[in-house]
Amino acid sequence: MKACKNCHRLTEAPICQICQMPTSKTWQGYVVVSDPERSMIAHRMNITKKGKYALKVR
Ligand SMILES: [Zn+2]
């Protein structure tokens, strides 16, 4: 899996489908967001769509 450098979303694609930014293989940890509107982490990371997100992306 790779992570988007902008929104941190995990994907297999070389370009993030949400924000069209390049993805990186270098990332650490991930969080599963199932309810973005009620998740503190989602709010802090500006996540508005549910899915898996990397905590750190380089
Ligand atoms: Zn993205």
Side-chain angles (χ1 to χ4, degrees), residues 1-57:
M1 292 290 266
K2 296 171 191 166
C4 173
K5 290 179 182 178
N6 185 50
C7 69
H8 290 199
R9 189 178 176 88
L10 292 176
T11 176
E12 294 288 354
I15 300 288
C16 175
Q17 292 167 337
I18 307 299
C19 50
Q20 311 297 318
M21 292 286 284
T23 55
S24 169
K25 277 186 198 170
T26 312
W27 54 272
Q28 287 183 326
Y30 74 89
V31 60
V32 178
V33 175
S34 56
D35 192 348
E37 287 179 14
R38 297 185 187 198
S39 167
M40 288 279 286
I41 296 171
H43 190 72
R44 206 184 290 175
M45 292 173 71
N46 291 318
I47 293 167
T48 55
K49 292 176 187 292
K50 54 181 167 181
K52 285 185 185 177
Y53 294 85
L55 293 176
K56 288 185 182 177
V57 183

